[in-house]
Amino acid sequence: MSILQQHTTARHTVRRPALRRRFTPVVVVYLALVALLVIGSVLVGVRGEVLLDQAGILNILTRSTALGLVAIGQTMVILTGSLDLSVAYLIGLTSLIAAETMAGQDGMVVPGVLLALAVAAAVGLVNGLVITVLKANAFIATLGVALILRGYLEDNYTGPAGDVPRGFQHLGYDRIGPLPVAALLMLAVAALAWWYLSRTRPGYHIYAVGGDIEVARLSGVPTRRVVVTAHVLCSLAAGLTGIYLASRLGSGAPYVGTDAGYDLESIAAVVLGGTLLAGGRGGVVGTIGGVLILATLDTIFDDLAVDPFFKDVVRGVVLVTAVALYARRMMADRTRGRLA
């Protein structure tokens, strides 16, 4: 090989890692979001409509709010290498608790919110303890809790219940300029979660446990406490979602979480945002990008009157493609690490 060829090969070798560092999963997911908005605008424009007018943007943000809140909490547990399949039923339960406690009275708004969050935290505590103390697999443990919640809801409710006071419904419908108040709340929760994960010791511990729980334990990280805390935070996020949906519906609804599929949808948003299901890598910023992609897809499909079954097919293809790309990237990173 000539000196010129060696120099060219070395230059390309240096350039590729630099490009990979620049195009992180977070950057990629937001580039994909921009591309989706452009393509969607063209497709919707062919039908003589506008995707990104005020109504379209409001629709995307409204769709993103509930899923975004759940996905923020799901990010916490997935980063530890766990997951939570009970969030959908918990959303329905907390919406009912909040609405029934409020009972249409403005003075009961705070007690209703606090009670709903307390129940959500208790469910998260149970999930965390079953996983850490009883050593149950996270999938089975949270599925079991989900079935318990489902049984309770089916035994005690046949439809909507409770009454949210009109003043509290402003949370679900009011706007500040073009932005829904609830969407701003969701972004505030995302910012708080980002700060917690990237600027606090418990946040560092979450990444350590997800990276290698045994190494984290030997390094002095309280691994049980970290996993339990992550599950409590996830359930609190689901509780906030239930409260928000109660404000939009005007009452509690037992299946408002399951009908929207927030358990699997939240996991899909987290994975689409670049967080590894194995844990230890990812974050809330990418998750919000994944949420916006799913919400934008739904808005485009509705504008185009796409068949619901085809919508699921496209969403599945998008998710599988994203996971395959992230997996390929990880394999390339590991290969370079071994060669180095």
Side-chain angles (χ1 to χ4, degrees):
M1 181 182 293
S2 67
I3 296 177
L4 179 60
Q5 289 175 321
Q6 291 177 353
H7 176 70
T8 302
T9 302
R11 185 172 59 187
H12 284 302
T13 303
V14 172
R15 186 182 301 168
R16 286 175 184 170
L19 287 174
R20 287 181 180 275
R21 286 192 298 269
R22 187 175 303 170
F23 289 98
T24 63
V26 173
V27 173
V28 170
V29 75
Y30 281 96
L31 288 176
L33 174 61
V34 172
L36 178 62
L37 289 170
V38 172
I39 296 171
S41 296
V42 172
L43 293 176
V44 173
V46 170
R47 292 174 58 92
E49 301 176 10
V50 180
L51 174 64
L52 295 179
D53 58 1
Q54 184 173 349
I57 294 173
L58 181 63
N59 193 9
I60 292 173
L61 292 176
T62 301
R63 290 176 182 271
S64 301
T65 301
L67 178 58
L69 286 171
V70 189
I72 290 167
Q74 197 74 256
T75 303
M76 297 283 190
V77 292
I78 290 179
L79 282 173
T80 66
S82 185
L83 54 77
D84 190 343
L85 294 178
S86 67
V87 290
Y89 289 105
L90 181 57
I91 289 169
L93 177 63
T94 51
S95 75
L96 290 162
I97 291 172
E100 289 184 320
T101 303
M102 293 178 191
Q105 304 175 38
D106 291 327
M108 294 301 293
V109 168
V110 173
V113 170
L114 292 179
L115 182 58
L117 292 179
V119 171
V123 172
L125 181 63
V126 170
N127 280 331
L129 291 177
V130 170
I131 292 168
T132 57
V133 176
L134 300 183
K135 305 297 182 182
N137 178 273
F139 181 94
I140 301 300
T142 57
L143 179 60
V145 171
L147 293 176
I148 293 172
L149 296 178
R150 175 185 173 181
Y152 174 80
L153 292 173
E154 290 183 346
D155 187 55
N156 291 277
Y157 298 95
T158 57
D163 182 20
V164 173
R166 185 172 297 276
F168 188 67
Q169 293 183 39
H170 290 302
L171 171 65
Y173 290 97
D174 277 10
R175 288 181 283 171
I176 298 178
L179 300 177
V181 171
L184 294 175
L185 171 65
M186 184 268 289
L187 293 176
V189 173
L192 183 62
W194 172 84
W195 172 81
Y196 179 81
L197 289 171
S198 61
R199 295 292 186 269
T200 68
R201 178 169 293 185
Y204 298 148
H205 287 171
I206 284 178
Y207 282 101
V209 169
D212 192 317
I213 190 169
E214 188 61 24
V215 171
R217 185 184 66 81
L218 295 174
S219 300
V221 175
T223 54
R224 284 188 178 183
R225 186 193 309 167
V226 170
V227 174
V228 171
T229 300
H231 275 279
V232 170
L233 292 174
C234 180
S235 293
L236 283 173
L240 282 175
T241 307
I243 294 168
Y244 159 69
L245 291 174
S247 74
R248 282 195 61 87
L249 297 173
S251 64
Y255 305 115
V256 66
T258 54
D259 288 346
Y262 283 130
D263 43 7
L264 299 182
E265 286 280 303
S266 62
I267 295 173
V270 173
V271 173
L272 192 58
T275 298
L276 299 182
L277 273 175
R281 185 181 297 183
V284 173
V285 176
T287 295
I288 297 301
V291 168
L292 289 171
I293 285 178
L294 293 178
T296 302
L297 276 173
D298 282 343
T299 303
I300 293 171
F301 289 151
D302 286 348
D303 289 345
L304 298 177
V306 174
D307 182 89
F309 296 104
F310 183 70
K311 287 166 60 174
D312 290 337
V313 170
V314 174
R315 289 160 70 90
V317 169
V318 169
L319 181 60
V320 170
T321 302
V323 172
L325 290 175
Y326 293 148
R328 184 175 180 181
R329 182 190 182 94
M330 281 191 61
M331 291 178 62
D333 290 343
R334 290 173 180 173
T335 302
R336 285 200 309 275
R338 286 196 298 267
L339 293 177

